[in-house]
Each structure stands twice: as C-alpha cells, then as structure tokens.
Amino acid sequence: MGSTSTKIKLRTSDQKVFEVEKAVAVQSQTIKYIYENGCPDSVIHVHSVSGDILSKILDYCKKHVNSAAGKEDISPEELYEWDANFVKVDQNTLFDLILAANCLKIESLLDLTCQTVANMIKGKRPEEIRTTFNIKNDYTIEAEEAVRRENKWAFDMLGGVGTMVIEELADDTMSKCVTNTKSRVCVIAANQIVMMRSISKLANKKSIDVYKQPQNPTTPRIKESVKQRNVGTGFIELFFHFKCKM
Amino acid sequence: MGDSLMDGVTSIMLLPDDCLCFIFNFLDCRNDRESFGLTCHRWLNIQNLNRRSLQFPCSFGIVGPSSLSQSCTDINSFHLYRILARFQQLEYLSLSGCVEILDSALSYLKPYGSKLQTLCLDCCFKISDYGISLVGDGCPFLTTISLYRCSITDAGLEALANACLALRHVNLAYCPCISDSGLRALSQGCRELQAVKISNCRGVSGVGLRGCSSTLVYIDAECCNLEPEGIMSIVSGGGLKFLNIASLSCSNFRNGLEAIGNGFAARLKILNLRMCRSVTDASIVAIAKGCPQLQEWNLALCHEVRVLGWASIGSNCHNLKKLHVNRCRNLCHQGLQALRDGCKELSVLYMSRNSRISDTALELFKLYRCNVEIKAEEVMSIGPNWDGIDYDEST
C-alpha cells in the first residue's frame, strides 16, 4: 500500500530485477532523469551494471538516504566509518563500482571510490603503482628521462599572476627580500613552521600577508577562502635585483 | 593493504579517461602527480590534460633555494615548445623571469596556446613588438596579460589590442616605450578592459585613456608623469572604483587633481594619493564632494593638505572606512578634530610621525572615537590586485 513510498524497478545487465524505494533510486541522477522523463511504471534498464554491483550500490544509496533523512541514528563519524568499510573490496569490484557510479551519476559514491583509488596511489613511486595495479610499463628509459626533466621545469601557478610562492628560504634571505619592499607582499609559505614565525615578525612591520600553501595546487585562482593578495611591483623590483646578484 | 594482484589485464585500464581524471584530481601533491604520469603513457596523457597553469623555476612567482641558489636553466624556444605541446589545456602560463626567451618562441602559441587566458611575460627583455603580435595571433581569447619591464612599443600594444579583444587585465608597469597612443589603442580596442597598470611608465601622461569603457574599474598609475588633462581622461570612463596615482611626478600639479571630483569618478572606492606632496586643499575638497563612495583614502605624505581639506573630508566622506595620514606635516589638532567629528564610518586611521599632533589631541581622538583603530604602520599598497578584479563584484 504505502502511497508515500513509491517503488522503482531496476533491471541489470544480467537480468536481475531490483525493486527499491524511489528516494533511494533517485540518488542516481541518471535514474532520476529517466524516471522523471520516461514512463515511471515500467522497469528501468541499467544495462551497464551487473546485479552484484547494483546490489552494493543500492546498499550505499539506502544508507546515505536514511542517514540524511534521520531514519537511521548514525553520526557523521559512523557514516564515514561505514563508507570506509564499504570500499574495502578487491580492485575489480572497486573499478566496477567506479564505472557504475560514473554511469549512474552518483556523485558522492564516485568521489568516495576515486578517492580510495587515489589513496592507493599516494606516496608510491611509479614502479610501485604499476605493481599495485598491474600496469604495463610502456616508457623507454629515454622517454622517462625526458618526462622527468620536463617535470623539473613545470611549476603550478598558485593564485594569480603576482603571487609569490616561497619555499624553504632561510630567515635572513627572507628578511633581505622584504625589508625594502614598498608594497604589500603576499607570501605563501610551504608549510615551514620556522619560516612562518620569522615572516610574521616582518609581517607586523610591513603589512605583509602570510598564508599557508593551499591544499589543492590545481586551482590556479584561489578564492576568497584562501584570501591571496598580490605582490606589488616593489617586491618584484627588489627580487629582480636580488636575483641578478645571485 | 588489501591490494591484490590480478592475473592478466588489470581492470584499472578499463576505466574511461574521465574516471582517471577524477582519480588524478584527488592527488594533491606534486610528487604524486608526477608519479602518476610516469606510470604509463596513457596516465601521462591524463596528467597533461589536467594541468591548467604553469610557470618555470626562474619565475618571480617562486622564491626558494631551487630558484635562487643556482642558475637555473635558461628557458628557451625548445623548452616552451615541449611544455606547450605536452600541456595542451593550459589556461595560465607564466614566462616571467625567462630573460633569454626570443620572439620566435612565441610562434608556438598559435598551434598550441589558443586556450590560454592568462599570459605573463614579466622581464622577458628580448621580446619585442613582433613577439607580442605572435601573442595576439596565437591567443585570441586572452583576458589577462602582464608585460612588466617589456620593451614593447605603442605599435606592439596596438597590435595586441586589435587581436585580443577580450582583454580585461593588462599590466604595463615599467614599460619605458609605451606612450599615450598605445594606451589609446588599448582602451579603444578592448572595450571589456577592467584593470590597467601603468605605474612607472615615463611616457604616459594619461590622455590615452580618454573615452575608455565604463568597465574600467581599476587604474594604477603610480609614479607616472601625469598631466591634468591626463587625470580627466583617466576618470572619463565613469566606472572607476580603484585609482592609484601615488608619487605623482609633476610638482606643478597643484589643482589638477580636482578633476577626480568632477562627477565622473563618483563610483570611486579606493584612492591612493600617497606622496602627492603638492596636492592642495582645493583638490581634496573637490574629491571629497565628488566621490561620495570613497571607502579607503591614502593621503600619507600629502603635506599641503590643511584644515580646509581635513574638514571637507570629515563632513563629506560618509563612507570612508580607512584613512591614511602618515607623516602629513600639516595635520594639526584642528584637522584631527574635523576628522574626529565627521567620517562616521571610519574604522581604521593610519597615523604616524605627524609632528603637529600632540599626545593630547591623539588621546582626545581616541576618547571620542573609541571604535576607530589607530595603526602606526605605513601601507604603501592598498586595494586589490590588478589581475584579481572582477567587474561583477557586488560592492
């Protein structure tokens, strides 16, 4: 009966049929679109997903819907734990989950699974990554050398054109740089605690803004949350002379 | 760790490129990203596709032992070619500090650099007008360009303005060969121009900006040889919000700044007149009346501002939040009282070494205006970044 809980039928690639609550199924943007634009009574085919994977995905969706709706008494930390356990599967299953989450457009699941794979990559050298995922090395020694050489040249631009990144600079060099600057200086220190202290001493004297290195280096423009400012011409002037001496 | 080796072809290679991109974007450290790319060529491609910004070790954007202590590779044509061919989705490229790079290197921008929005050529001393024309050719969608200390002339600037119609932010600081005719070409050609930095351009008097678009909200003309007509031209667009004319070179400029208060700069929010030693009360009065939206005003070292000027600020600057009066020789207690009694929105007063202000006057100020923070520091550079202005900001 329950008119409040509409059910949706889903048929997988291996002809299994799942009947789920609408609220759970529409976690998938794809299913939501089909349901809202197609005929809601007949079965929705999810061709690219197998029964096993869909079953797992529906578990995930159900858990998240229930926790968001308050139907389950689960704290954010517990949900986080549950998610962490959810992705403790073998690689094949993990990749199938990624493929399915991508095709069904379930953003939070896609993020979770891709983050898991990224965690398996972090901190590893290329040969270790290849071993983990059984990837064939198609680099020649020369090609690899060329790429490594080019990588040395390529730095990201954190922030706008005039932002300076200061890495591991000795205190006295830093003070030489900023003492004579005419302008407000923005310094993004690469997590050097010692340097931060010395810079902040100077900052009090010279209206220098100090910010820690932002987490995501792909964002060329840092929004207000990180509040970057420009390097005035004065600093570049000084730096220009300074660099020429070295 | 639960990682299992699979027999045969691994499933990770069956993931489509966009999934690999998602995974790649969760790697936030440079080493991890490089290791990702060194795994296999397909993953290198993913890494390359996801790079949006790039600068070289010699860039003024990086200060560190790697860039300072040893002479880093002089970036030349070949390096630029490799970088552009490898990273074809670049939107931000900085060649700042590449002092050896020649015009011919920029010819690679046409096949590979068409997605670039921001290009920085600071201190590229060997780039000439021809090189700039190659930039115009190759990057028609450029919105931001920095040419600090470049030796381009008006002809080069004109070629650039005619090719890159979407230009919004332009930095021409310390370009010795730029004059008003180049500026004219820029302001007439690029009708979406928002910010121009022409500080220390000795050949500029300001008239080149006459008739600029109302989208021009930011002008930095510090240490320029501006003329009264130039000031009028600068404000002629009607949209100016940030103006920096600190260190005005011309000492005969006595009343020339009145033009700022003539109504065209009614939207002005931040004004920097630091070290305009000869600016008179007449100009101050005009500005105070003509720019009702002023929020920050730097008058440090403006020695000719006297009681009339200060009184006018007090009674007209209803939105003023920050005022800089460091070292103003003619700020006396009467002037301070006028400020004290007016400027209701004032929250910070930068004041130091004002010889005519007694401790008593200062204490009285603090008593009446306990909500105003008094800071002793001298701030030379106020206002936002030239490349950070967005016209649609709500304020």
Side-chain angles (χ1 to χ4, degrees), chain B residues 306-325:
Chain B
R306 296 166 195 274
V307 180
L308 206 62
W310 302 119
S312 168
I313 295 176
S315 46
N316 290 305
C317 294
H318 304 297
N319 288 308
L320 198 63
K321 295 195 180 124
K322 297 187 187 175
L323 181 62
H324 305 247
V325 298

Side-chain angles (χ1 to χ4, degrees), chain A residues 157 159-163 221, chain B residues 61 94 118-120 122 144 146 385-387:
Chain A
M157 283 167 68
V161 170
T163 305
R221 298 213 154 236
Chain B
S94 173
T118 297
L119 181 61
C120 179
D122 291 349
T144 303
S146 186
N385 193 3
W386 66 271
D387 73 331

Side-chain angles (χ1 to χ4, degrees), chain A residues 221, chain B residues 91-92 115-119 139-146 164-171 192-195 386-387:
Chain A
R221 298 213 154 236
Chain B
E91 290 169 9
Y92 303 80
K115 293 199 171 71
L116 278 180
Q117 291 170 22
T118 297
L119 181 61
C139 310
F141 305 114
L142 212 56
T143 60
T144 303
I145 188 162
S146 186
C164 300
L165 301 170
L167 272 179
R168 290 200 224 127
H169 312 120
V170 180
N171 179 8
E192 294 184 42
L193 204 56
Q194 290 177 20
W386 66 271
D387 73 331

Side-chain angles (χ1 to χ4, degrees), chain A residues 162 180-186 205-209 228-236, chain B residues 197 199 218-222 242-247 270-275 296-301 322 324 326 350 377-387 389:
Chain A
N180 298 322
T181 184
K182 282 165 68 171
S183 312
R184 188 192 285 156
V185 171
C186 167
K205 275 196 231 167
K206 286 283 176 182
S207 300
I208 296 169
D209 303 315
Q228 55 97 31
R229 301 271 170 77
N230 70 316
V231 175
T233 319
F235 190 100
I236 294 185
Chain B
K197 193 165 151 94
S199 41
Y218 181 105
I219 295 181
D220 183 347
E222 190 172 330
F242 313 99
L243 178 60
N244 179 2
I245 46 174
S247 307
I270 299 185
L271 178 60
N272 192 348
L273 296 180
R274 183 173 191 275
M275 290 241 279
E296 186 169 0
W297 199 348
N298 192 337
L299 285 164
L301 289 136
K322 297 187 187 175
H324 305 247
N326 313 71
Y350 293 87
E377 63 213 41
E378 257 190 66
V379 182
M380 285 93 173
S381 158
I382 62 175
N385 193 3
W386 66 271
D387 73 331
I389 311 285

Side-chain angles (χ1 to χ4, degrees), chain B residues 42-58:
Chain B
R42 185 163 167 229
W43 285 27
L44 179 69
N45 196 38
I46 301 287
Q47 180 198 4
N48 294 344
L49 282 175
N50 278 284
R51 174 162 235 134
R52 293 285 175 275
S53 73
L54 191 139
Q55 57 181 341
F56 293 98
C58 53

Side-chain angles (χ1 to χ4, degrees), chain A residues 92 123 130-131 133-134 138-139 150-151 153 155-157 161 164-167 182 218 230 233 237 243, chain B residues 5 10-11 30 32-33 37-39 41 55 58 60-61 63 65 79 82 148-149 197 380 385 387:
Chain A
N92 259 339
R130 286 185 215 123
T131 314
F133 298 107
N134 201 15
D138 57 359
Y139 274 104
E150 284 161 19
N151 284 342
W153 307 329
F155 285 71
D156 286 302
M157 283 167 68
V161 170
M164 270 219 183
V165 179
I166 303 218
E167 322 165 322
K182 282 165 68 171
T218 52
N230 70 316
T233 319
E237 274 293 286
K243 263 197 141 175
Chain B
L5 283 181
T10 187
S11 338
R30 196 178 161 197
D32 287 335
R33 287 159 167 252
L38 285 165
T39 305
H41 275 94
Q55 57 181 341
C58 53
F60 292 147
V63 179
H79 298 118
R82 280 303 310 147
Y148 166 76
R149 282 191 183 266
K197 193 165 151 94
M380 285 93 173
N385 193 3
D387 73 331

